[in-house]
Amino acid sequence: MWTRHLFLKLSENRPLRSWMETSPKAKLLTRRFIAGETLEDELRACARLQEQGISAALDHLGENVTTLDEARQSAEAYEAALDEIAARKLHATVSIKITQFGADLSQEACVENVLRLVAKAKATNSRVEIDMESTRYTDQTLDIAERAAAEGPVRCVIQAYLHRSAEDVDRANQLGMPVRLCKGAYDEPETVAYPYKADVDSNYVQLMKKLMDEGTFPAIATHDPKMHAATLAYAKQRGIGPDRFEFQMLYGIRRDLQKKLLDQGYRLRLYVPYGTAWYPYFMRRLAERPANVFFVARSFFH
Ligand code: FDA
């Protein structure tokens, strides 16, 4: 537990971040979790996944930009990604963070950036998935997601570790807005989030059921075999076919389970990050599973 807090605290450390992100050796650390630095690296990784029957959600790494210019550039990078997805006929969506689109600076500029991207996703037959960040941004993210979902194809993340999430799932279901259900990756106080894994897991199962019964093409995003089993059992019990939901997992994590789901005929989408601003994402992956530190150290020294 303390290691989770430590890595999440370190994920916000700016000096360590700039040292890590500019170190030439650091690329060796990130290979397992990140497709590469450029859009071309990313598209190649997505094409390889597609050959195996796996769809992708492209994540151009970046969060908490500090100028509106950077926010606009992030939006433009994603627009370019959508053009390439369409040109190469990839089964891929894009996954964004509102703080990468300017949410800390101007809500209106952020909404404008998101709406432009959603219009492009609609025109290119793709989708914009909106990640959920810390609780500082939950209301803002849901507000933007609702506005964007009224204009085009959007899926919003809801985190099972938050006490509030049942209400958020109900609202999304009423609006017909697709949801990606995940457990939650940030360091949150007990006042807003369940501190124990058993409670998060139990809430995950409750929310999964709501989404399977009343949601629109939910994405069950987890590497937890118990959550997979609960979802498959519930789908079977309710007669919900594999064409009505998808599983999502992170690039490079639990490839054994990815294969198992595919072999059983379920839809799978991987969240595939790329870019140079990889540090916070990478630290959150270490926080989720401290054993990754040994894996990373081993590949570094080989
Ligand atoms: P849990 O943490 O209980 O792990 C279950 C098992 O999965 C572990 O025993 C281990 O085998 C494996 N595992 C989990 N994490 C691993 C790791 N880093 N390395 C290696 N093995 C690992 N969060 C968020 O707050 N906002 C968001 O927008 C998103 N978006 C998102 C998209 C997708 C597609 C996924 C899969 C996840 C997210 N997350 C997220 C992250 C999510 O909230 C959560 O932190 C991680 O998925 C880990 O939780 P699990 O559900 O995998 O279960």
Side-chain angles (χ1 to χ4, degrees):
M1 199 64 178
W2 64 269
T3 45
R4 179 170 187 272
H5 291 297
L6 174 69
F7 283 118
L8 290 177
K9 195 88 207 136
L10 286 176
S11 74
E12 292 166 5
N13 186 302
R14 288 205 167 255
L16 188 58
R17 175 176 178 173
S18 69
W19 179 71
M20 293 273 281
E21 285 182 349
T22 49
S23 154
K25 285 202 167 169
K27 260 186 248 167
L28 294 171
L29 302 178
T30 60
R31 264 191 310 218
R32 179 180 168 194
F33 302 112
I34 290 154
E37 291 196 342
T38 65
L39 176 59
E40 195 53 44
D41 294 334
E42 173 80 355
L43 294 164
R44 266 199 300 258
C46 295
R48 277 196 302 272
L49 293 173
Q50 189 156 308
E51 282 166 17
Q52 301 163 48
I54 303 174
S55 309
L58 279 74
D59 167 33
H60 184 229
L61 290 161
E63 46 204 84
N64 296 104
V65 297
T66 51
T67 68
L68 285 176
D69 260 359
E70 274 182 275
R72 200 176 26 78
Q73 283 160 20
S74 297
E76 284 168 5
Y78 272 107
E79 286 175 49
L82 279 174
D83 281 333
E84 284 300 323
I85 287 171
R88 299 178 195 211
K89 299 188 170 42
L90 292 173
H91 303 154
T93 58
V94 290
S95 207
I96 66 168
K97 289 186 171 51
I98 63 161
T99 64
Q100 187 182 15
F101 275 51
D104 287 323
L105 309 163
S106 151
Q107 175 81 345
E108 278 321 299
C110 178
V111 169
E112 210 177 284
N113 285 331
V114 174
L115 288 183
R116 232 184 24 245
L117 190 69
V118 169
K120 170 77 89 176
K122 192 174 178 181
T124 55
N125 215 9
S126 181
R127 180 182 296 281
V128 176
E129 311 210 21
I130 305 186
D131 291 355
M132 189 59 78
E133 300 172 71
S134 73
T135 42
R136 201 174 140 204
Y137 301 104
T138 312
D139 283 325
Q140 212 178 345
T141 306
L142 290 169
D143 175 51
I144 292 174
E146 281 189 21
R147 287 167 72 176
E151 303 298 325
V154 166
R155 176 188 278 134
C156 188
V157 172
I158 292 183
Q159 298 154 321
Y161 66 6
L162 296 185
H163 300 309
R164 61 178 283 168
S165 290
E167 279 173 37
D168 294 335
V169 164
D170 283 339
R171 170 125 184 112
N173 289 349
Q174 277 156 18
L175 293 168
M177 178 169 69
V179 166
R180 176 202 299 158
L181 180 64
C182 68
K183 289 193 189 176
Y186 295 82
D187 208 7
E188 299 291 356
E190 290 185 25
T191 45
V192 296
Y194 297 105
Y196 298 111
K197 176 174 159 57
D199 297 322
V200 177
D201 288 357
S202 149
N203 200 37
Y204 194 101
V205 172
Q206 296 314 313
L207 301 179
M208 174 274 288
K209 290 179 177 174
K210 266 182 190 289
L211 287 167
M212 295 292 268
D213 282 334
E214 297 152 17
T216 306
F217 200 75
I220 306 301
T222 173
H223 316 92
D224 188 339
K226 287 201 196 100
M227 300 301 111
H228 291 171
T231 305
L232 296 182
Y234 196 66
K236 192 169 174 200
Q237 182 192 329
R238 308 290 284 184
I240 299 168
D243 55 329
R244 289 191 29 213
F245 64 99
E246 69 180 30
F247 287 102
Q248 292 194 355
M249 296 173 75
L250 301 177
Y251 181 74
I253 295 183
R254 293 302 306 256
R255 281 174 277 208
D256 57 329
L257 289 182
Q258 296 172 13
K259 182 166 181 328
K260 195 169 160 198
L261 291 172
L262 280 178
D263 289 348
Q264 290 175 283
Y266 292 101
R267 294 185 186 207
L268 176 65
R269 184 181 303 280
L270 292 194
Y271 182 99
V272 189
Y274 70 104
T276 50
W278 50 264
Y279 175 80
Y281 178 88
F282 178 72
M283 294 305 273
R284 287 197 289 273
R285 302 300 73 86
L286 296 188
E288 282 155 4
R289 191 163 175 268
N292 282 340
V293 174
F294 300 109
F295 179 91
V296 160
R298 203 179 54 196
S299 47
F300 185 73
F301 289 113
H302 273 213

